[in-house]
Amino acid sequence: MTPPTDMKRGYLLRLYLLISYAFPLVAPRLLRRRLARGKETPARWTEKLGQSLGPRPDGPLIWLHGVGLGEVLSLRGLITRLADARPDASFLVTSTTAASAQVFAKNLPPRTLHQFLPIDAPPYRRRFLDHFRPDLCVWAEQDIWPGFVSDAARRGIPQAVIAARMNAKSHRAHHRARSLYRDLYRAMARVTAQDSATAGHLTQLGARGPVAITGSLKPGAVPLACDCAELHLIAGAFAGRTVWAVAPSHRADEDIALAAHDLLRQTDPTALLIIAPRFPDRRDAIAAACHLPLKRRSRGELPDIDDAIWLCDTFGDLGLIYRLTPTVLIGGTFDNTAGHNPWEAAALHTAILHGPCVGNFATDFAMLDDVNAARRVNDAPQLAQAVQSPGSLAHNATQVIAAASTQTDTLARDLLKLLGSAHG
């Protein structure tokens, strides 16, 4: 394999690198507009300009990047394995969304620091790389930035793309700039994919060597955290009730969950539905759709015995919700959202139900469905019946996780070899 410092930079990559010098002309103004709209973290938005960076830990530093909430949470199992194997190493996780930082802060793995990834402009990249001096760079799933890849290669930092996910539509878009992606993927010392289709797409785009199929990182992630004292308090308030949840939910999921809950309440008047919206700022719209006042977690309210629904309208509480309920309808599976991560619920022994729209997690749900570790429901009566009789779904999912997480062990060992080569 060509050493990272010999990375080829073809016409499209050189054009991108040239254009990136103009990014600082608009980046501060754009970020301030996003800040005014609540899309950036007030105390930390300047990290995206390569400023206000946290202290670099001593010793080897492994930098891992995931674009958003799902990607950074999926990295936790991998980081834990790496940390166990290398007690001298520390970890820098970068992402771009405010929600990812907020939730990840509650679920930090050992010796891990989070930063927002700077905009891919030369002065911002230089400040970031000069400051942190990573010994290994890991790009997770689908977010890869040409300027950072090029600069890291010039510095001789080994890089890897792991658990890549690329459907046919995304591949067509990448193919239009295939010479750019050929340069980027060939700069990688290791490329792995979640499935065979992605592996084929990456090979067509120029990834070197056989692209290993290592599956998703999500089955290997450690369970989401929660406040144990709060869990005990809320569980006590729910004692004796049939509790289930729809999470992280969208309007279509909520509509079918509410219809199913009406059916449940006909035979079990104490049944309680927890609605945990993917976007908590929809809280008023959800309350209006329910046609009754809702107790809201954001106000510190708990439901009384007469309340049929509890609105958990706060970020970062799936670890609490999945511990409170034995059954969950995974959101995003009844509209073009095309699903959310089922493994977080499975890791906490929650029975998984889902609708027919799972395109973004098709491999994951198929793996679970095939061994009766999750169940597809198509309408409210099916959903109500499944909530009443989930069977062995949760137990079976635990067995799937045990088998699938071995792939994360193998990936951790491969990355440690790259880290060793950087110090060789």
Side-chain angles (χ1 to χ4, degrees), residues 255-275:
D255 287 345
I256 196 166
L258 289 170
H261 197 56
D262 285 342
L263 295 175
L264 282 173
R265 298 270 296 185
Q266 291 176 15
T267 57
D268 185 355
T270 69
L272 176 67
L273 170 63
I274 302 174
I275 298 177

Side-chain angles (χ1 to χ4, degrees), residues 139 141-142 144 161-167 170-171 174-175 178 181-186 188 190-214:
W139 303 93
E141 295 203 15
Q142 53 188 328
I144 179 171
V161 171
I162 62 169
R165 181 163 55 100
M166 185 181 295
N167 59 26
S170 179
H171 176 245
H174 282 70
H175 193 261
R178 56 188 177 276
Y181 288 101
R182 179 193 60 219
D183 293 345
L184 299 181
Y185 287 122
R186 289 190 177 183
M188 300 296 148
R190 179 76 162 143
V191 178
T192 79
Q194 293 191 21
D195 51 64
S196 58
T198 296
H201 293 155
L202 294 175
T203 300
Q204 292 173 23
L205 289 172
R208 293 188 175 218
V211 176
I213 300 172
T214 54

Side-chain angles (χ1 to χ4, degrees), residues 75-76 162 168 201 206 230-231 281 286 325 342 371 393 397:
L75 290 170
R76 294 171 302 122
I162 62 169
H201 293 155
E230 186 176 37
L231 172 65
D281 58 4
I286 295 171
T325 175
V371 294
L393 294 179

Side-chain angles (χ1 to χ4, degrees), residues 148-413:
F148 273 104
V149 172
S150 178
D151 285 6
R154 290 187 191 281
R155 295 170 184 242
I157 301 169
Q159 300 180 75
V161 171
I162 62 169
R165 181 163 55 100
M166 185 181 295
N167 59 26
K169 180 180 178 180
S170 179
H171 176 245
R172 287 193 295 270
H174 282 70
H175 193 261
R176 288 194 286 269
R178 56 188 177 276
S179 65
L180 168 65
Y181 288 101
R182 179 193 60 219
D183 293 345
L184 299 181
Y185 287 122
R186 289 190 177 183
M188 300 296 148
R190 179 76 162 143
V191 178
T192 79
Q194 293 191 21
D195 51 64
S196 58
T198 296
H201 293 155
L202 294 175
T203 300
Q204 292 173 23
L205 289 172
R208 293 188 175 218
V211 176
I213 300 172
T214 54
S216 171
L217 294 173
K218 293 175 174 66
V222 296
L224 294 171
C226 79
D227 185 303
C228 292
E230 186 176 37
L231 172 65
H232 181 75
L233 174 67
I234 299 174
F238 292 174
R241 304 186 67 175
T242 299
V243 181
W244 68 292
V246 53
S249 67
H250 302 261
R251 174 64 187 270
D253 314 304
E254 293 151 9
D255 287 345
I256 196 166
L258 289 170
H261 197 56
D262 285 342
L263 295 175
L264 282 173
R265 298 270 296 185
Q266 291 176 15
T267 57
D268 185 355
T270 69
L272 176 67
L273 170 63
I274 302 174
I275 298 177
R278 173 63 181 85
F279 302 105
D281 58 4
R282 293 182 50 247
R283 55 181 63 88
D284 291 337
I286 295 171
C290 293
H291 304 295
L292 76 166
L294 297 182
K295 298 291 175 59
R296 303 184 183 186
R297 175 162 167 72
S298 61
R299 296 173 178 169
E301 300 168 340
L302 286 178
D304 299 322
I305 190 63
D306 295 328
D307 291 313
I309 301 167
W310 185 42
L311 182 56
C312 194
D313 55 338
T314 48
F315 263 129
D317 281 325
L318 290 181
L320 172 69
I321 293 167
Y322 293 150
R323 286 177 172 88
L324 287 170
T325 175
T327 308
V328 62
L329 172 64
I330 299 295
T333 60
F334 282 93
D335 63 13
N336 60 8
T337 302
H340 286 297
N341 178 12
W343 299 106
E344 294 167 344
L348 290 167
H349 315 293
T350 304
I352 297 167
L353 309 175
H354 66 87
C357 306
V358 296
N360 285 335
F361 292 87
T363 301
D364 305 84
F365 280 105
M367 186 185 302
L368 292 164
D369 288 348
D370 287 348
V371 294
N372 194 33
R375 185 179 305 165
R376 171 175 163 168
V377 293
N378 296 304
D379 53 33
Q382 285 186 0
L383 177 55
Q385 178 61 38
V387 171
Q388 291 174 314
S389 304
S392 59
L393 294 179
H395 172 76
N396 295 343
T398 301
Q399 306 304 310
V400 176
I401 285 177
S405 63
T406 60
Q407 295 177 316
T408 306
D409 297 333
T410 301
L411 182 57
R413 289 193 293 270

Side-chain angles (χ1 to χ4, degrees), residues 78-120:
L78 176 62
I79 293 173
T80 299
R81 290 164 170 81
L82 294 169
D84 288 343
R86 286 293 300 264
D88 61 328
S90 297
F91 306 90
L92 169 66
V93 172
T94 56
S95 63
T96 59
T97 67
S100 65
Q102 182 179 342
V103 178
F104 194 63
K106 299 180 179 181
N107 292 274
L108 281 176
R111 307 191 301 277
T112 300
L113 168 71
H114 176 270
Q115 298 272 215
F116 287 114
L117 184 73
I119 290 171
D120 196 23

Side-chain angles (χ1 to χ4, degrees), residues 22-106:
F23 293 171
L25 299 177
V26 297
R29 183 183 305 171
L30 174 64
L31 289 172
R32 287 190 178 94
R33 287 179 181 173
R34 287 176 53 84
L35 181 65
R37 297 198 302 268
K39 294 183 177 294
E40 298 291 343
T41 304
R44 296 184 55 188
W45 69 276
T46 56
E47 292 175 20
K48 294 188 175 182
L49 303 177
Q51 301 171 3
S52 308
L53 302 174
R56 187 204 190 277
D58 295 332
L61 180 65
I62 299 175
W63 166 32
L64 306 98
H65 175 72
V67 60
L69 177 57
E71 289 81 7
V72 297
L73 289 179
S74 74
L75 290 170
R76 294 171 302 122
L78 176 62
I79 293 173
T80 299
R81 290 164 170 81
L82 294 169
D84 288 343
R86 286 293 300 264
D88 61 328
S90 297
F91 306 90
L92 169 66
V93 172
T94 56
S95 63
T96 59
T97 67
S100 65
Q102 182 179 342
V103 178
F104 194 63
K106 299 180 179 181

